[in-house]
């Protein structure tokens, strides 16, 4: 999951200023957050819908799509009351609202890690299958499945979050390493040994506060943190294999623990800026961290598929995410559903998601539109050494999914506060550490 401090920071950045230039807007305090009334050129007979989010940028995207909707649908115009709240506040208020049937918004974002809580028992969310159906052939299937239960799709994603490797080619070239030759983890190991010997720099990170790397290695093996019933399987053979590979890399000075515990932290940005680490294995949304927090690395970072244990294994997994939902108490359910699909799944929507948010769109038709993906004025196209969509198109059929279940928060907490530190920092036996983690997770879930 994306770091909560960053999400909360974005939410707190919300001000009373207008977003963009789409007609009239007003702001007020509402639902414990800051509310902007977006008119998007709507007339007097427009239906007012409410939308809750914890990311201010998502509101900016919806504002752009609202104006397009109102222009295309003069008989079904909408005014949108957008409320931005801090991460925990929003999810807690939403949970109470949908359970009681009082005070829920018409439309809301729900972060992936929180989504299973809203699918317990009988979901108080509206199935979205009918409005998703027209787009299914172009959407990355795993990003819809992750917000589903019993064949019903309850959330529409914002991005794919395809995991890729971010290579600092300046460091690699100093060591005589070509990132394009790295296919397997063994290739990565040999390249990393050379990098450390020649430069004293580490090839990558041994993450202790996030499970991005473990998700990638589990997905390659066709497995997960939980079984088909959602039960934790932390001490599985696949998990032991994944951590054995990572520990071997650390023992050979190929990877090392990093300040902040993973690449997506303020402390880690400084380490990457200083050139102490050559690689990050992260979802594609990490691009915005480079452009925002590591500008001095512009032109030095190349994207590539993640190494695999054996050739032929899938080279990516979707990471992080936000599903947008319609609640059962929405004043006009069909209008809310139709607008949501238009705002997040249509071609125009996905072009805006790339241009405004810098996310990899879930509508894969956009991936082949070079006038969009290779726009020389795009900030991400300018920053990276190669084009992100060239990599995405190479791996688009290999992007796997790691489930988010009711056990996921507990699993993540134990692994990221205890187990990974024990293995990478304290040298604890991997199988013993995982057996202990499994026992602790099961105890905490009782």
């Amino acid at each position: 999951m994306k770091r909560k401090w960053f999400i909360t920071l974005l939410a707190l950045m919300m001000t009373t200023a207008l977003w963009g230039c789409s007609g009239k807007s007003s702001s007020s305090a509402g639902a414990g957050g800051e509310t902007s009334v977006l008119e998007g050129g709507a007339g007097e007979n427009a239906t007012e819908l409410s939308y809750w989010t914890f990311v201010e940028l998502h509101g900016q995207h919806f504002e752009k799509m609202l104006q397009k909707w109102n222009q295309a649908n003069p008989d079904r115009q909408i005014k949108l009351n957008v409320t931005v709240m801090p991460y925990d506040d929003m999810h807690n208020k939403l949970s109470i609202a949908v359970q009681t049937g009082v005070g829920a918004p018409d439309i809301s974002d729900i972060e992936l890690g929180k989504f299973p809580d809203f699918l317990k028992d009988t979901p108080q969310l509206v199935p979205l299958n009918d409005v998703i159906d027209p787009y299914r052939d172009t959407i990355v299937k795993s990003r819809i499945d992750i917000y589903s239960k019993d064949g019903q799709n309850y959330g529409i994603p914002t991005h794919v979050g395809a995991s890729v490797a971010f290579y600092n080619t300046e460091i690699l070239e100093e060591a005589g390493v070509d990132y394009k030759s790295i296919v397997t983890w063994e290739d990565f190991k040999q390249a990393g040994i050379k990098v450390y010997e020649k430069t004293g720099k580490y090839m990558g990170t041994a993450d202790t506060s996030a499970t991005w790397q473990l998700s990638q290695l589990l997905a390659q093996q066709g497995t997960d943190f939980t079984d088909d019933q959602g039960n934790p399987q932390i001490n599985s053979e696949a998990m032991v294999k994944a951590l054995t590979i990572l520990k071997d890399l650390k023992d050979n000075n190929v990877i090392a623990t990093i300040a902040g515990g993973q690449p997506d932290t303020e402390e880690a940005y400084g380490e990457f800026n200083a050139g102490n680490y050559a690689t990050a294995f992260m979802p594609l949304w990490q691009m915005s961290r480079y452009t925002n927090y590591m500008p001095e690395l512009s032109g030095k970072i190349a994207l590539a598929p993640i190494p695999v244990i054996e050739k032929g294994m899938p080279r990516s997994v979707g990471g992080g995410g936000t599903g947008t939902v319609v609640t059962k108490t929405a004043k006009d359910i069909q209008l809310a559903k139709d607008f949501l699909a238009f705002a997040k799944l249509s071609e125009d929507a996905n072009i805006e998601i790339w241009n405004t948010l810098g996310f990899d769109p879930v509508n894969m038709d956009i991936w082949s539109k070079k006038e969009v993906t290779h726009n020389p004025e795009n900030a991400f196209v300018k920053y990276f050494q190669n084009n992100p969509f060239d990599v995405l198109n190479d791996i688009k059929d290999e992007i796997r999914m790691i489930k988010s279940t009711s056990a996921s928060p507990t699993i993540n907490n134990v692994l990221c506060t205890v187990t990974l530190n024990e293995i990478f920092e304290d040298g604890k036996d991997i199988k013993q550490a995982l057996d202990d983690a499994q026992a602790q997770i099961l105890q905490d879930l009782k």
Side-chain angles (χ1 to χ4, degrees), residues 38-54:
L38 308 178
E39 297 192 3
E44 293 182 359
N45 296 324
T47 301
E48 287 197 23
L49 297 178
S50 54
Y51 164 56
W52 288 5
T53 183
F54 54 93

Side-chain angles (χ1 to χ4, degrees), residues 44-183:
E44 293 182 359
N45 296 324
T47 301
E48 287 197 23
L49 297 178
S50 54
Y51 164 56
W52 288 5
T53 183
F54 54 93
V55 182
E56 184 262 347
L57 285 173
H58 290 184
Q60 291 186 16
H61 170 71
F62 269 79
E63 183 183 24
K64 292 183 177 181
M65 295 311 299
L66 178 66
Q67 188 163 20
K68 291 175 182 288
W69 170 271
N70 285 338
Q71 289 173 348
N73 298 274
D75 298 328
R76 304 180 75 202
Q77 292 190 334
I78 296 169
K79 293 181 182 179
L80 196 63
N81 300 322
V82 180
T83 301
V84 182
M85 288 179 267
Y87 178 92
D88 285 324
D89 285 355
M90 195 218 77
H91 287 95
N92 291 339
K93 289 177 185 294
L94 182 64
S95 179
I96 293 170
V98 297
Q99 287 174 24
T100 62
V102 178
D106 301 294
I107 300 170
S108 184
D109 283 344
I110 302 177
E111 197 266 339
L112 175 59
K114 295 286 188 181
F115 215 93
D117 294 338
F118 291 85
L119 296 182
K120 290 179 180 177
D121 302 321
T122 301
Q124 297 306 300
L125 308 174
V126 177
L128 302 172
N129 297 53
D130 59 326
V131 295
I132 292 173
D133 284 344
Y135 301 100
R136 286 194 192 276
D137 291 343
T138 63
I139 300 171
V140 177
K141 182 177 181 296
S142 63
R143 301 312 286 173
I144 293 292
D145 291 346
I146 207 165
Y147 303 116
S148 304
K149 178 181 180 180
D150 299 330
Q152 298 296 317
N153 309 136
Y154 291 100
I156 294 181
T158 308
H159 61 66
V160 176
S163 297
V164 298
F166 294 84
Y167 289 116
N168 184 324
T169 58
E170 185 176 64
I171 297 173
L172 301 187
E173 288 168 2
E174 185 181 348
V177 170
D178 179 3
Y179 75 91
K180 295 176 184 177
S181 67
I182 299 173
V183 176

